[in-house]
C-alpha cells in the first residue's frame, strides 16, 4: 500500500478517505492559475490500495506503479466514506489497425509506426468531485487526450511517444473521446495511438508517474 | 390700391395657369409661353381671387408642392426667383395674399403660387419610421392635443418608433397602445448598429425570397451587405444592387478571413494537404502575444496560448483562401482540429479565434483550448523561437 498515506493526508486531507483504488491524477489547478496543476501532495504520485474497496479483489501493480486492469475493468478513485467512485475510467476494447479513415477527405491514413492502437474508453467524473479535491467545479477536469496515454511493451519498455499526426486525423469527432471529462459528465469514445509494439499494456497515466494499465494485442 | 391689387392678380394668373415664370418645370398641361402676356388671362383666376388678395391671411398651414415651384421675392411672376422648391416638398405657409402663399425654404423666405400647393396630408408620414428617444416621462395621448386622454406614460429614455408626425405631435406606439406624443420631448435615437453579412460566392440579389423571383444583379463573393431580416432561409439585405434577398446558403457572419497556421498545417508539413491547392497567397509573418508549446515526446503536436507579453511571438503562415473554396476549407480545418463552435470552447483541443498578425491582417487561428492548454503546458516545452520549423 505504498504512497497511500500521502494521498490520504494530501488529497483529501479532511475527508476520511481510506481506500483509493488509484491516485487522483488530473485535477485542474485553481481558476487563477495559468498552469494545470495537481492539487497539493498529489504531485508526489499515486496512492494504491491493497484491495479494491468496491469488489475486495487484490490490487496488482506493474513496475511503473500502474494498477493493472483487464479489458472492460473499471478503474478509478473511490471515496471510502461513501464507497462511491468520483472518477472512473475503463478501456472497454482495444483494436490494432493498419490504417484508418481520415475525418477530412475520407482518405486512408497509415500509422507512422507499426499500428494504430484504437482504444474504446469510458470515463466519468462525479459532480461532487470538488468536495474531494476542492476548487471550483468549473476548473476541475480530467484530460483524456492521447497524450495522457502511454504503452509498455511486453519486454517492459515504456513508450510515451504514442501519438502522431495521422493518429490525430483518424475518425470523425463524433466517435472520438472528448479531450476532457468535466464534473458531472460521463463520456465515451475512441482514442487513437500510434504504436510500435503490437502487444503490451496501455496505460492512462497523464502525469507520467503511474496510473492504470490494460493489456492490448497478443 | 385696388388697381395695384388687380394688376398683381393679373400677373398671378400668368403664374398659376402654368407660365414658365411660375413653375420651375412646367407641368404637362402648362399654358404656352404666350400665356404670359397680361391680357385676358385674368379669366384663369380662381373665382374671387382678385379681391381676396387684399388681405393676407395668417395661416401656418402645411402645404405640399405639386410641381417644382419657384420661390419668388415678391407676389409676382416678374419678381426674382430665390430658389426652386422640388415637387412634393412640404412647406409651412405663414400667410397668403391673393393667389400667392408666403413660405420659407432652405433659409429663404418668399412667395409661391398657391395653385401649385395642396394641403399636406393631415398626418405626414415620414419617409421611414424614425427611431426617437423620450427625453422626459411622456404622456401618450389619444389625440394631438393636451386636452385628449392620456393612454399611458412612457418612461424617459425609451426608444420609440415614430410612424408619422402632425404639427408638433408624433404618432407612436408603446406597450400595445398607439397615440400621440409631443415631439418636443423626443430626440433622435442612436441608430441601431447595422448587422452585416458577407457573401460566400458571386450571388444573385433577388426581388423576393426564392429563386422564382427575378434578380436585381449579382454581388461578388466576399462582399459586405447590410442584413435586414430573414425569411424562409433567405436574408433580406441592402446591397450595391439594391435591397433584395440572398439565400442564406451564400451568406456568412464573417468576411472571408485568411487563416494563420503555425504547426503541421504549414507548407511542407504533415497536415498541409488540407490547404494545398486552396490558397491564393501564403505569407510568412508573426503573431505577437502568443506562446507556442510542444508536448515532450510528442513533438509533432503544437499549440499556441495567449501571452501578456508582446515579445512572445509565434511564426505563422497566413493563408489566403480561394473564394470558391473558403467555406469548405474552413469546415475541413475545423473538422481536422476538432473544433465545434456550438460546443463549450474550454473543453476543446483548439478554438478558432480571430487574431491580428504583425502585418495588421485579421485572420483565423486555432488557439489551444484553455483546459488542454493548461494540462499540456504544465510539462510542455515552450518553443522560444516561436517557429515550429525550428523546434529542435
Amino acid at each position: 500500500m505504498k504512497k497511500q498515506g500521502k494521498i490520504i493526508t494530501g488529497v483529501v486531507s479532511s475527508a476520511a478517505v481510506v481506500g483509493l483504488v488509484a491516485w487522483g491524477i488530473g485535477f485542474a489547478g485553481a481558476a487563477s492559475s495559468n498552469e494545470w496543476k495537481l492539487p497539493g501532495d498529489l504531485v508526489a504520485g499515486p496512492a494504491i490500495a491493497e484491495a479494491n474497496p468496491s469488489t475486495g479483489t487484490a490490487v496488482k501493480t506493474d513496475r511503473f506503479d500502474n494498477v493493472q486492469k483487464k479489458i472492460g475493468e473499471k478503474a478509478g478513485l473511490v471515496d471510502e466514506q461513501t464507497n462511491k467512485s468520483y472518477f472512473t475510467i475503463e478501456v472497454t476494447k482495444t483494436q490494432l489497425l493498419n490504417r484508418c479513415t481520415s475525418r477530412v477527405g475520407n482518405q486512408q491514413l497509415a500509422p507512422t509506426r507499426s499500428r494504430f492502437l484504437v482504444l474504446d474508453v469510458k470515463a466519468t467524473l462525479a459532480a461532487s468531485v470538488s468536495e474531494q479535491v476542492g476548487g471550483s467545479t468549473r476548473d476541475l477536469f480530467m484530460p483524456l487526450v492521447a497524450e495522457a496515454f502511454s504503452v509498455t511493451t511486453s519486454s517492459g519498455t515504456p513508450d510515451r511517444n504514442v501519438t502522431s499526426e495521422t493518429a490525430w486525423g483518424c475518425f470523425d469527432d463524433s466517435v472520438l473521446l472528448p479531450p476532457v471529462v468535466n464534473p458531472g459528465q460521463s463520456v465515451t469514445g475512441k482514442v487513437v495511438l500510434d504504436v510500435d509494439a503490437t502487444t503490451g499494456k496501455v496505460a492512462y497515466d497523464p502525469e507520467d508517474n503511474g496510473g492504470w494499465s490494460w493489456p492490448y494485442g497478443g | 390700391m385696388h388697381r395695384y391689387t388687380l394688376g398683381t392678380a393679373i400677373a398671378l394668373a400668368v403664374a398659376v395657369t402654368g407660365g414658365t415664370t411660375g413653375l420651375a418645370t412646367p407641368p404637362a398641361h402648362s399654358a404656352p409661353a404666350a400665356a404670359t402676356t397680361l391680357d385676358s388671362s385674368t379669366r384663369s383666376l380662381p373665382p374671387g381671387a382678385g379681391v381676396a388678395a387684399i388681405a393676407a391671411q395668417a395661416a401656418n398651414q402645411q402645404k405640399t408642392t405639386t410641381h417644382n415651384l419657384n420661390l419668388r421675392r415678391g407676389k409676382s411672376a416678374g419678381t426674382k426667383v430665390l430658389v426652386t422648391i422640388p415637387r412634393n416638398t412640404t412647406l409651412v405657409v405663414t400667410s397668403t395674399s391673393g393667389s400667392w402663399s408666403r413660405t420659407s425654404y432652405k433659409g429663404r423666405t418668399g412667395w409661391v403660387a398657391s395653385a401649385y400647393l395642396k394641403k399636406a396630408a393631415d398626418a405626414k408620414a415620414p419617409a421611414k419610421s424614425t427611431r426617437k428617444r423620450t427625453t422626459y416621462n411622456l404622456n401618450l395621448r389619444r389625440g394631438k392635443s393636451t386636452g385628449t386622454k392620456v393612454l399611458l406614460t412612457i418612461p424617459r429614455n425609451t426608444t420609440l418608433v415614430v410612424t408619422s408626425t402632425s404639427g408638433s405631435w408624433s404618432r407612436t406606439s408603446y406597450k400595445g397602445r398607439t397615440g400621440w406624443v409631443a415631439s418636443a420631448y423626443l430626440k433622435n435615437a442612436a441608430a441601431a448598429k447595422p448587422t452585416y453579412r458577407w457573401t460566400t460566392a458571386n450571388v444573385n440579389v433577388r426581388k423576393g425570397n426564392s429563386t422564382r423571383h427575378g434578380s436585381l444583379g449579382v454581388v461578388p463573393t466576399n462582399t459586405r451587405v447590410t442584413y435586414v431580416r430573414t425569411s424562409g432561409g433567405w436574408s433580406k439585405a441592402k446591397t450595391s444592387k439594391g435591397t433584395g434577398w440572398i439565400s442564406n446558403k451564400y451568406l456568412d457572419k464573417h468576411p472571408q478571413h485568411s487563416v494563420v497556421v503555425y504547426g503541421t498545417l504549414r507548407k511542407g508539413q504533415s497536415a498541409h494537404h488540407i490547404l494545398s491547392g486552396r490558397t491564393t497567397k501564403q505569407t510568412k509573418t508573426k503573431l505577437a502575444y502568443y506562446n507556442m508549446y510542444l508536448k515532450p515526446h510528442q513533438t509533432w503536436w503544437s499549440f499556441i496560448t495567449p501571452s501578456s507579453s508582446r515579445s512572445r511571438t509565434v511564426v505563422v503562415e497566413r493563408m489566403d483562401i480561394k473564394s470558391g473554396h473558403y467555406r469548405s476549407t474552413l469546415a475541413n480545418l475545423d473538422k481536422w482540429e476538432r473544433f465545434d463552435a456550438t460546443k463549450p470552447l474550454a473543453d476543446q483541443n483548439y478554438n478558432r479565434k480571430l487574431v491580428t498578425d504583425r502585418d495588421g491582417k485579421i485572420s483565423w487561428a486555432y488557439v489551444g483550448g484553455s483546459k488542454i492548454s493548461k494540462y499540456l503546458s504544465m510539462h510542455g516545452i515552450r518553443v522560444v523561437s516561436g517557429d515550429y520549423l525550428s523546434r529542435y
Side-chain angles (χ1 to χ4, degrees):
Chain A
M1 195 166 162
K2 41 187 182 173
K3 298 178 187 172
Q4 187 178 10
K6 281 184 184 175
I7 294 303
I8 291 168
T9 57
V11 178
V12 279
S13 54
S14 60
V17 174
V18 178
L20 293 173
V21 175
W23 66 284
I25 294 169
F27 297 103
S32 59
S33 170
N34 287 324
E35 289 190 338
W36 186 85
K37 291 175 183 169
L38 293 171
D41 292 348
L42 268 183
V43 177
I48 300 164
E50 291 173 334
N52 183 327
S54 300
T55 62
T57 56
V59 172
K60 294 178 182 175
T61 62
D62 62 20
R63 73 169 85 170
F64 305 104
D65 281 347
N66 293 320
V67 176
Q68 297 180 64
K69 293 289 174 182
K70 296 172 189 168
I71 292 296
E73 189 180 0
K74 195 180 287 184
L77 301 168
V78 176
D79 181 338
E80 174 104 330
Q81 235 179 7
T82 61
N83 210 29
K84 286 183 179 173
S85 298
Y86 55 87
F87 172 66
T88 64
I89 184 165
E90 59 184 302
V91 175
T92 58
K93 183 182 172 187
T94 65
Q95 238 184 320
L96 287 162
L97 301 177
N98 290 321
R99 56 192 67 247
C100 72
T101 302
S102 172
R103 64 177 161 274
V104 174
N106 288 323
Q107 76 247 39
Q108 293 297 298
L109 299 175
T112 57
R113 299 182 185 89
S114 170
R115 294 283 195 280
F116 287 130
L117 172 58
V118 183
L119 313 174
D120 283 66
V121 176
K122 180 177 182 182
T124 60
L125 191 57
S128 60
V129 67
S130 62
E131 295 166 19
Q132 274 79 33
V133 300
S136 162
T137 298
R138 193 185 58 182
D139 300 308
L140 294 169
F141 68 96
M142 289 291 279
L144 299 173
V145 287
E147 284 66 20
F149 292 82
S150 62
V151 300
T152 308
T153 66
S154 50
S155 63
T157 309
D159 186 1
R160 291 199 65 85
N161 187 12
V162 291
T163 70
S164 68
E165 181 85 42
T166 52
W168 167 271
C170 289
F171 301 119
D172 193 76
D173 187 57
S174 59
V175 301
L176 291 171
L177 193 66
V180 298
V181 58
N182 296 310
Q185 284 184 335
S186 180
V187 296
T188 59
K190 294 181 187 301
V191 176
V192 185
L193 307 179
D194 193 330
V195 298
D196 272 325
T198 54
T199 60
K201 288 177 181 171
V202 58
Y204 175 72
D205 180 14
E207 287 306 308
D208 199 12
N209 55 5
W212 302 273
S213 68
W214 294 262
Y216 74 90
Chain B
M1 178 67 181
H2 178 75
R3 190 167 59 84
Y4 169 83
T5 304
L6 185 60
T8 304
I10 292 168
L12 250 181
V14 176
V16 299
T17 52
T20 54
T21 52
L23 297 171
T25 305
H29 64 274
S30 64
T36 57
T37 54
L38 301 179
D39 57 11
S40 59
S41 58
T42 49
R43 285 195 296 272
S44 299
L45 280 170
V51 291
I54 299 169
Q57 298 172 8
N60 274 347
Q61 286 185 327
Q62 286 200 330
K63 299 279 189 178
T64 302
T65 56
T66 59
H67 298 85
N68 294 340
L69 194 59
N70 287 328
L71 180 73
R72 294 183 175 277
R73 178 169 288 168
K75 297 170 281 185
S76 154
T79 60
K80 184 182 175 186
V81 175
L82 301 176
V83 67
T84 300
I85 306 170
R87 181 171 176 264
N88 277 334
T89 302
T90 297
L91 305 167
V92 175
V93 172
T94 54
S95 65
T96 58
S97 177
S99 300
W100 292 84
S101 294
R102 187 167 177 81
T103 190
S104 297
Y105 181 71
K106 288 195 173 174
R108 311 297 295 271
T109 300
W111 296 85
V112 294
S114 303
Y116 292 94
L117 296 175
K118 67 178 181 183
K119 189 178 179 184
D122 186 43
K124 178 176 75 71
K128 294 175 186 175
S129 295
T130 312
R131 283 160 50 87
K132 297 279 186 181
R133 185 178 288 271
T134 55
T135 57
Y136 293 91
N137 295 339
L138 194 56
N139 288 329
L140 180 73
R141 293 181 178 276
R142 178 168 288 169
K144 298 169 282 183
S145 154
T146 53
T148 61
K149 184 183 176 186
V150 174
L151 301 175
L152 52 78
T153 300
I154 305 171
R156 183 169 176 264
N157 277 332
T158 302
T159 298
L160 303 169
V161 174
V162 171
T163 54
S164 63
T165 57
S166 177
S168 58
W169 292 83
S170 294
R171 187 166 176 82
T172 191
S173 297
Y174 182 71
K175 290 192 173 175
R177 309 297 295 271
T178 300
W180 296 86
V181 294
S183 303
Y185 303 110
L186 296 175
K187 66 177 181 182
N188 286 331
K193 195 177 175 185
T195 303
Y196 298 116
R197 296 284 187 270
W198 282 263
T199 55
T200 61
N202 296 337
V203 64
N204 279 307
V205 180
R206 297 192 177 272
K207 294 172 185 171
N209 62 343
S210 84
T211 52
R212 293 194 311 273
H213 296 274
S215 174
L216 297 170
V218 174
V219 174
T221 186
N222 204 24
T223 300
R224 191 180 80 173
V225 299
T226 305
Y227 170 83
V228 178
R229 66 187 173 91
T230 298
S231 175
W234 290 66
S235 289
K236 190 173 187 178
K238 295 175 185 172
T239 76
S240 60
K241 304 298 177 187
T243 300
W245 294 83
I246 300 173
S247 168
N248 288 346
K249 286 187 287 187
Y250 303 108
L251 290 175
D252 262 347
K253 289 182 178 177
H254 293 282
Q256 294 187 358
H257 293 298
S258 48
V259 180
V260 292
V261 297
Y262 52 84
T264 56
L265 286 166
R266 285 179 66 174
K267 194 174 181 182
Q269 299 301 299
S270 54
H272 184 71
H273 60 88
I274 296 170
L275 290 162
S276 185
R278 291 170 170 254
T279 61
T280 55
K281 194 178 173 186
Q282 304 180 355
T283 311
K284 192 174 176 181
T285 183
K286 284 188 174 180
L287 201 59
Y289 295 105
Y290 278 92
N291 287 315
M292 174 183 284
Y293 280 94
L294 299 170
K295 181 72 177 165
H297 312 298
Q298 290 101 22
T299 51
W300 69 274
W301 196 30
S302 61
F303 58 99
I304 60 173
T305 60
S307 164
S308 58
S309 171
R310 180 181 167 77
S311 64
R312 295 292 176 88
T313 59
V314 171
V315 175
V316 296
E317 288 171 8
R318 186 177 63 239
M319 305 289 182
D320 293 344
I321 312 292
K322 290 177 182 172
S323 271
H325 292 288
Y326 184 78
R327 253 189 181 180
S328 61
T329 304
L330 210 59
N332 282 344
L333 288 169
D334 283 353
K335 211 171 183 180
W336 185 257
E337 304 295 13
R338 299 180 64 188
F339 170 68
D340 184 342
T342 65
K343 292 180 178 173
L345 296 178
D347 294 352
Q348 301 188 48
N349 289 304
Y350 290 104
N351 298 162
R352 175 159 54 82
K353 291 182 174 178
L354 286 173
V355 296
T356 304
D357 63 30
R358 190 179 58 182
D359 303 333
K361 300 278 188 185
I362 297 173
S363 303
W364 293 113
Y366 289 88
V367 177
S370 61
K371 289 179 178 173
I372 285 303
S373 289
K374 282 180 181 177
Y375 166 61
L376 293 175
S377 59
M378 182 180 175
H379 298 299
I381 303 166
R382 189 174 74 81
V383 180
V384 178
S385 68
D387 189 347
Y388 183 76
L389 304 186
S390 306
R391 64 192 184 281
Y392 298 113

